[in-house]
């Protein structure tokens, strides 16, 4: 009996595994990759991110007035895209950002984030991560109909964390 060719083991020599090289990062703490930019984002604190988000993107009155709110919403609906096709294509890299919480250099922040026994206030950190997620979504959604100084017509809601391990 002669075995068929399909049952014979491959006669090609084994190939060496691919070589994975690491880039040496000198300028900043992260290397350029598929999800990180070649230059780091500007140094901003979490308070600066929240301030920019509140003033430039979300906008709106500082107190609730139903008539003023409805008038503002009607204006924003005019710049709401009618379909997804009106929005430009985006990559994850387009919304990459970071923010610093300067606990070590700011005693007020240290009191807000560190417990009396030196632990981290997880709830405060989760609250900031939630706000930062909203910042990233607004950065990612590039509306060509929205001009500078006008709030966004989008309402962003964050709702779910599956698991957190410490």
């Amino acid at each position: 009996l002669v075995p068929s060719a399909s049952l014979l083991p491959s006669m090609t020599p084994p190939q060496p595994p691919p070589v994975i090289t690491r880039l040496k990062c000198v300028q900043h703490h992260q290397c350029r990759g598929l999800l990180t930019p070649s230059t780091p984002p500007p140094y901003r604190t979490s308070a600066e991110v929240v301030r920019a988000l509140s003033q430039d993107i979300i906008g709106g009155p500082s107190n609730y007035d139903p008539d003023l709110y409805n008038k503002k919403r009607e204006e924003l609906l005019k710049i709401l895209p009618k379909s997804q096709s009106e929005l430009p294509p985006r990559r994850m890299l387009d919304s990459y950002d970071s923010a610093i919480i300067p606990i070590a250099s700011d005693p007020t922040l240290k009191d807000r984030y560190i417990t009396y026994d030196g632990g981290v206030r997880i709830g405060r950190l989760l609250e900031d991560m939630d706000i930062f997620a909203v910042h990233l979504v607004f950065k990612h959604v590039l509306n060509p109909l929205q001009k500078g100084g006008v709030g966004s017509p989008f309402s962003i809601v964050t709702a779910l964390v599956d698991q957190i391990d410490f």
Side-chain angles (χ1 to χ4, degrees):
L1 287 173
V2 177
S4 70
S6 63
L7 298 177
L8 290 175
S10 173
M11 296 299 179
T12 59
Q15 299 295 319
V19 177
I20 299 173
T21 58
R22 299 251 180 223
L23 299 174
K24 186 174 181 179
C25 301
V26 179
Q27 294 294 329
H28 59 287
H29 68 304
Q30 295 179 357
C31 292
R32 180 172 191 222
L34 293 176
L35 302 178
T36 57
S38 58
T39 58
Y43 176 89
R44 293 187 303 172
T45 65
S46 57
E48 292 169 333
V49 169
V50 169
R51 191 176 314 109
L53 181 65
S54 299
Q55 292 173 352
D56 301 337
I57 297 174
I58 296 173
S62 58
N63 58 347
Y64 182 69
D65 176 0
D67 295 329
L68 183 60
Y69 176 80
N70 290 332
K71 180 180 176 189
K72 176 89 170 154
R73 266 327 277 170
E74 286 176 22
E75 292 172 11
L76 291 176
L77 289 175
K78 294 175 186 173
I79 61 170
L80 186 65
K82 305 292 184 241
S83 72
Q84 183 78 22
S85 63
E86 293 182 32
L87 297 173
R90 303 288 282 167
R91 305 169 298 164
M92 286 196 299
L93 183 61
D94 296 328
S95 57
Y96 181 87
D97 207 347
S98 67
I100 306 297
I101 303 173
I103 296 171
S105 62
D106 188 335
T108 305
L109 282 179
K110 187 173 185 177
D111 285 343
R112 290 179 65 200
Y113 286 91
I114 305 297
T115 63
Y116 70 93
D117 62 350
V120 176
R121 295 182 193 270
I122 302 301
R124 173 69 67 183
L125 194 56
L126 290 173
E127 183 181 336
D128 285 350
M129 289 169 51
D130 191 56
I131 292 170
F132 192 71
V134 172
H135 160 72
L136 292 177
V137 169
F138 276 119
K139 187 175 179 183
H140 191 77
V141 176
L142 183 62
N143 182 357
L145 303 174
Q146 184 177 343
K147 305 301 178 208
V150 176
S152 175
F154 299 107
S155 296
I156 307 301
V157 177
T158 60
L160 176 67
V161 173
D162 288 333
Q163 179 177 344
I164 297 177
D165 295 321
F166 295 99

